């Protein structure tokens, strides 16, 4: 039985025992796309939707439960429904948080469970959903698909205003498990531009590539992967520093290493050693908001049997005009093949532009429209008879309900 729906059912059954607050969002959208072979259908396309699964879709259906177990301990669970998921409903995040009363200028909190790292600037809606656009950048698309912290995290913050200071500081550190296959998608499928979130118990299907066919050089690799699995018993870590100035400037830097053993193999899945550094900046100037994120790292399995050096960054400008907001995002992403099998080309490069408009009609209802263009080159497409270079376009309109 899948663990996500089971945990959610137990939380709902226990809800009367302690105060629970429910929140969520429902995103019904129409999509026009000329993309082919979407990654969500085990292809090498960059869009979530292609010409074969466009039309009326459920973009997001998220339910969040927050409960106070005591004065200092709280519990949170976030589940989502997805018409592209075989199990439909799954758990995305679930954690316990301890917030002790601070005894000095520094406030500490600890959370344990499964949750997203403090990384994205775009995904600030309920359940890690984007609020300024329909899609997210390549960086945050990959995080939503293949990265989750399953472990324990310590967060320290020092707010300047109560101390008469203009400076805010923060530090976050976590140890985690169950992310050993992270890097599989990024290597054999590449970056994407999407807003889809992988459920904790969900199985994903890799593209049809010769390298892991029964007669291929990595024949033991299964096309079906579970990205949130523990394979080697080793702990990974992440650490981040945060700085803020007078409420208009936010900076952060992060280092991540899952410390997976790239030689371990279990149940059709290899361990992938995945490491990256991440920088982020947010600047507010009146009605304007500027967002930047950059990531660089590598991932590999075996003795470099497969792997890439990865790099991506984006810049977004967003302006609020009363109940309306217009946002423009430019993405750049690349992967450099870094393995010893010439017949398995995994390098790519690409760029994307998204123009989005949102209208907050009321606290509960909003309307969104987004035009997205992705231009990318990936040599592996030629193995299936497709052109290495593809330009994919989509137009999305969405009606969102928030509660």
């Amino acid at each position: 039985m899948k663990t996500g729906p089971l945990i959610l059912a137990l939380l709902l059954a226990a809800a009367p025992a302690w105060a629970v607050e429910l929140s969520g969002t429902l995103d019904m959208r129409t999509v026009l796309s000329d993309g082919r072979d979407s990654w969500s259908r085990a292809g090498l396309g960059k869009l979530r939707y292609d010409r074969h699964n466009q039309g009326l879709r459920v973009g997001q259906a998220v339910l969040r439960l927050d409960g106070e177990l005591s004065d200092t301990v709280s519990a949170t669970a976030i589940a989502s429904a997805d018409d592209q998921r075989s199990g439909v409903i799954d758990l995305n995040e679930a954690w316990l948080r301890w917030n002790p009363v601070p005894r000095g200028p520094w406030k500490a909190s600890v959370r344990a469970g499964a949750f997203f790292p403090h990384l994205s600037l775009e995904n600030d809606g309920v359940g890690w959903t984007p609020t300024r656009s329909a899609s997210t950048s390549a960086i945050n698309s990959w995080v939503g698909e293949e990265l989750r912290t399953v472990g324990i995290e310590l967060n320290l913050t020092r707010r300047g205003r109560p101390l008469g200071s203009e400076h805010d500081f923060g530090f976050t550190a976590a140890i985690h498990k169950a992310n050993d296959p992270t890097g599989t998608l990024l290597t054999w499928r590449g970056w994407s531009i999407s807003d889809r979130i992988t459920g904790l118990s969900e199985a994903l299907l890799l593209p049809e590539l010769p390298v892991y066919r029964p007669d291929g050089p990595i024949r033991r690799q299964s096309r079906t992967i579970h990205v949130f699995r523990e394979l080697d018993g080793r702990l990974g870590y992440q650490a981040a520093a945060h700085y803020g100035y007078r409420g208009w400037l936010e900076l952060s830097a992060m280092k991540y290493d899952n410390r997976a053993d790239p030689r371990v193999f279990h149940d059709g899945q290899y361990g992938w050693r995945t490491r990256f550094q991440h920088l982020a900046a947010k600047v507010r100037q009146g009605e304007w908001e500027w967002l930047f994120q950059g990531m660089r790292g590598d991932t590999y399995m075996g003795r470099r049997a497969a792997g890439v050096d990865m790099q991506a960054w984006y810049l977004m400008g967003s302006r609020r005009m009363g109940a309306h907001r217009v946002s423009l995002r430019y993405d750049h992403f690349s992967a450099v093949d870094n393995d010893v099998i010439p017949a398995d080309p995994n390098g790519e490069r690409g760029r994307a532009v998204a123009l989005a408009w949102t209208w907050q009609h009321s606290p509960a209802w909003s309307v969104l429209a987004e035009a997205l263009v992705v231009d990318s080159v990936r040599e592996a497409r030629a193995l299936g008879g497709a052109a290495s270079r593809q330009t994919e376009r989509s137009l999305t309109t969405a009606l969102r309900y928030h509660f």
Side-chain angles (χ1 to χ4, degrees), residues 4-25 61-69 74-80 89-97 114 126-127 403:
L6 176 60
I7 294 174
L8 180 61
L10 292 173
L11 288 169
L12 288 171
W18 35 276
V20 173
E21 179 180 338
L22 297 177
S23 58
T25 185
V62 177
L63 177 65
R64 172 170 175 152
L65 293 81
D66 292 285
E68 299 295 328
L69 305 183
S74 62
T76 298
I78 301 172
S80 70
I89 300 175
D90 205 344
L91 196 68
N92 295 345
E93 300 178 85
W95 69 82
L96 291 173
R97 186 190 297 272
V126 175
F403 60 92

Side-chain angles (χ1 to χ4, degrees), residues 348-398:
E348 70 173 14
R349 66 185 185 276
R351 54 187 178 177
V353 177
L355 176 63
W357 163 79
T358 60
W359 173 36
Q360 193 69 44
H361 175 264
S362 68
W365 293 95
S366 63
V367 178
L368 180 146
E370 178 191 84
L372 173 65
V373 181
V374 184
D375 179 70
S376 62
V377 178
R378 187 172 182 86
E379 294 179 18
R381 290 172 178 151
L383 300 176
S388 297
R389 182 167 191 171
Q390 294 182 7
T391 300
E392 303 165 89
R393 292 165 287 262
S394 69
L395 178 62
T396 302
T397 58

Side-chain angles (χ1 to χ4, degrees), residues 46 142 146 182-191 209 272-276 295-312 333-341 344-349 378 380:
K46 297 304 178 186
W142 176 63
E146 206 174 7
T182 296
T184 313
L185 280 178
L186 189 58
T187 298
W188 278 321
R189 186 220 61 196
W191 298 99
L209 293 175
W272 289 71
R273 181 67 183 272
T274 301
R275 303 166 290 189
F276 65 79
M295 176 183 288
R296 173 177 289 184
D298 66 347
T299 183
Y300 66 94
M301 54 80 75
R303 293 181 172 86
R304 297 281 179 179
V308 294
D309 294 334
M310 56 183 178
Q311 181 174 315
F333 54 87
S334 65
V336 178
D337 207 349
N338 190 11
D339 59 45
V340 296
I341 303 178
D344 179 34
N346 293 307
E348 70 173 14
R349 66 185 185 276
R378 187 172 182 86

